[in-house]
Amino acid sequence: MKPRRHRVAVCALALIALAALLGAPGNASAITRDAVLDRGKVWVDRFVPYSNSGWANEAGDIVANSSLGWRRDCSGFASYCLNLRYANGTPLSYHSGTIDAVLTPITKEQLRPGDIINRPNDAGYAYGHSIVFVNWANEEHTEYWSYEQSSSRGGTCTRLVVYPFWGEPGFAPYRYNRIEEDYEPWCEPIEGANRYETAVAASRASFPETGSADTAIVCSGLTWPDALGGAGLAGAVDGPVLLTDPRELPGCVAEELARLGVTRAVIVGGERAVSSRVASALAEAGVAQVDRIGGADRYETAARVAEAAAFELMARGESSDGTAYLASGENFPDALAASPAARFFGRPVLLTRASALPSATADALESLSTTRVLVLGAAGAVSSHVASAAGEGRVMGRLAGLDRYATSIIVARHATAEGMSWAGLGVAAGGSYCDALAGGSAQGKIGSPLLLTPGTALAGVTAREITAHAEEIGRAHCYGGPKTLTTGVRLGIATCLGM
């Protein structure tokens, strides 16, 4: 009898020869973890009999040859669970000594349902074996439930296994290279088909009960300048920030207003930002009182919004702590990063030009009895001259990083140091404003900051910050659909949180 490793080498050569006939191994289709386990359960339920020279199809039926199904041994079963196929779609069955061609080694701590525990049969061991990991069986992670094609059990089964495999050497955990990760245990998606539906989703997350908000802040979903102070006003009235098309009220927004039981809507911005037609539609949707706060420009609008928020707080017997955030009115990221804190602490967000403090902003700092000014962003966004003018006679500080992503981290650290929590951290794309407009207000409602990242790849500084606070964060809130905050970003967040 040939040594086992020689038999495996022969099998590997046979696979190469077969690939020449059927096409190269495809493995092109990604597969979810649920699908891996669902496929495995089919064979387990059928108790497909063990054979290292026989095959079965997806339904667990015995078939005549390898072109119709997967081999009925342990590694053939693992290949079946992963839905491995040649490029032409024909089932592909690896051996335990060759299946690592489509697997990546992982650690015990990284094991998740649908991963593989494998020992090759060409490394000097008495036998090779491939096991599908189902889940941990105890909190100590010393035992796990498996799906296996077992010669000793006579067929496909599920059983309790001592990790990694009853104390035998050579067994190690692996992950299929094309596994499609389920990031939702770590990332709660708050999204809709468009920016208006995403804002509605944020509102539903903040106010899950029907009839739970009587006032809503309505801002343009196509422009950002007037809306940057909306979160602070939303906090003062304890309502959501909803977005609208400037020309027409989206149906989803009208439905959300009705669900919340809103009797008053406050439009932020003039008629160029949100038309009178939208105001009429709000009334037609059952909103009894429609107010508008607007100014001659974005700076005056921000000042008036801040003053309105102070009035609303006063009506509730509350007041600001004398702190105001000062951000560039020429770009949006820094003001959006501060929006959760603005809502949570009842602090205004005022806007300025980079090189000159607008008179409306200076007047608002006086009328609001501001005692501390926190400038957002570096000197390129708000110059030292402007910061000094705004801070004259007041405590003045600057919250700034090397870019918008780093600045959002500095703002988050400031907010948590002053009383907010990392629990339920929010993440939004920093290249666009629409999702963060509503997301910032929603984060302020739960008392957690908002970090910004490029929508296509998680920023390195953002990843490091999430990792540093992973235990406190628990589950992050991801604002925006997959076009603005891609699956890759969400997987990056989940990985930082311990996926």
Side-chain angles (χ1 to χ4, degrees):
M1 179 179 291
K2 294 180 179 179
R4 187 176 296 273
R5 64 175 63 92
H6 291 171
R7 294 205 307 274
V8 172
V10 171
C11 290
L13 291 173
L15 275 174
I16 294 172
L18 188 59
L21 295 174
L22 300 178
N27 309 317
S29 297
I31 187 169
T32 66
R33 295 184 178 278
D34 284 347
V36 172
L37 298 183
D38 287 346
R39 289 175 66 85
K41 192 171 186 302
V42 172
W43 278 27
V44 168
D45 289 346
R46 293 289 302 272
F47 192 67
V48 175
Y50 181 90
S51 171
N52 58 16
S53 59
W55 301 269
N57 63 17
E58 289 180 283
D61 299 322
I62 306 302
V63 293
N65 56 60
S66 61
S67 67
L68 301 175
W70 289 264
R71 197 176 56 253
R72 292 187 278 118
D73 60 10
C74 62
S75 49
F77 172 64
S79 300
Y80 153 75
C81 289
L82 298 176
N83 198 23
L84 301 183
R85 297 175 183 272
Y86 289 97
N88 69 348
T90 301
L92 168 58
S93 298
Y94 279 103
H95 287 273
S96 59
T98 56
I99 196 170
D100 61 356
V102 296
L103 303 176
T104 297
I106 59 174
T107 66
K108 175 184 177 181
E109 291 71 27
Q110 292 173 313
L111 262 172
R112 296 191 63 209
D115 287 333
I116 304 297
I117 292 174
N118 188 68
R119 180 170 79 172
N121 55 358
D122 61 345
Y125 301 113
Y127 64 93
H129 192 45
S130 302
I131 307 152
V132 177
F133 178 86
V134 176
N135 55 42
W136 290 109
N138 59 11
E139 292 183 0
E140 296 76 21
H141 291 185
T142 58
E143 298 178 340
Y144 64 95
W145 290 103
S146 72
Y147 284 163
E148 300 174 61
Q149 180 59 279
S150 169
S151 58
S152 63
R153 298 287 181 103
T156 318
C157 62
T158 181
R159 63 169 164 166
L160 190 65
V161 179
V162 174
Y163 182 86
F165 194 74
W166 305 106
E168 295 195 27
F171 284 90
Y174 294 84
R175 178 162 296 158
Y176 177 43
N177 295 337
R178 297 300 311 279
I179 200 73
E180 189 173 281
E181 296 286 7
D182 172 18
Y183 51 77
E184 289 197 16
W186 292 268
C187 301
E188 180 178 350
I190 300 179
E191 62 186 52
N194 52 48
R195 61 191 65 189
Y196 310 112
E197 291 187 8
T198 293
V200 167
S203 173
R204 287 180 173 271
S206 298
F207 300 90
E209 296 182 8
T210 300
S212 55
D214 56 16
T215 303
I217 309 304
V218 179
C219 306
S220 169
L222 296 185
T223 56
W224 52 265
D226 292 333
L228 293 180
L233 181 57
V237 300
D238 194 23
V241 170
L242 295 172
L243 305 183
T244 181
D245 184 292
R247 299 151 297 185
E248 185 174 2
L249 185 70
C252 63
V253 177
E255 292 171 3
E256 179 64 1
L257 292 168
R259 185 190 72 84
L260 291 170
V262 168
T263 58
R264 178 189 176 208
V266 181
I267 297 172
V268 176
E271 291 192 7
R272 293 183 62 182
V274 179
S275 69
S276 58
R277 182 176 177 179
V278 170
S280 298
L282 289 167
E284 292 169 4
V287 178
Q289 181 180 346
V290 179
D291 299 328
R292 184 188 293 272
I293 302 175
D297 57 24
R298 63 192 65 183
Y299 308 105
E300 186 176 336
T301 295
R304 290 186 177 180
V305 168
E307 290 166 349
F311 177 81
E312 295 287 347
L313 286 173
M314 187 182 303
R316 291 166 49 182
E318 302 175 21
S319 63
S320 173
D321 62 1
T323 299
Y325 298 108
L326 183 65
S328 170
E330 295 165 351
N331 209 344
F332 55 83
D334 297 336
L336 289 179
S339 59
R343 172 164 190 154
F344 183 79
F345 295 114
R347 297 169 179 170
V349 175
L350 298 173
L351 305 181
T352 183
R353 297 182 181 91
S355 57
L357 185 69
S359 59
T361 305
D363 291 344
L365 288 170
E366 288 294 331
S367 68
L368 295 168
S369 301
T370 304
T371 57
R372 181 174 67 152
V373 176
L374 295 176
V375 177
L376 306 177
V382 179
S383 70
S384 298
H385 168 73
V386 168
S388 296
E392 186 175 355
R394 306 178 178 97
V395 175
M396 196 274 286
R398 187 185 289 271
L399 305 174
L402 294 176
D403 57 23
R404 64 186 62 186
Y405 310 114
T407 293
S408 73
I409 290 171
I410 299 299
V411 173
R413 290 175 181 174
H414 144 78
T416 53
E418 297 205 347
M420 295 182 74
S421 168
W422 286 101
L425 172 75
V427 182
S432 60
Y433 57 86
C434 47
D435 296 330
L437 278 176
S441 177
Q443 286 301 119
K445 173 73 171 172
I446 65 170
S448 183
L450 179 75
L451 296 186
L452 303 179
T453 179
T456 55
L458 187 64
V461 290
T462 309
R464 288 190 289 275
E465 195 70 11
I466 293 173
T467 300
H469 299 283
E471 191 170 324
E472 301 165 76
I473 292 168
R475 190 177 186 215
H477 295 90
C478 295
Y479 292 92
K483 289 184 179 179
T484 55
L485 204 64
T486 63
T487 298
V489 172
R490 297 165 200 244
L491 289 176
I493 295 168
T495 300
C496 292
L497 292 175
M499 182 177 73

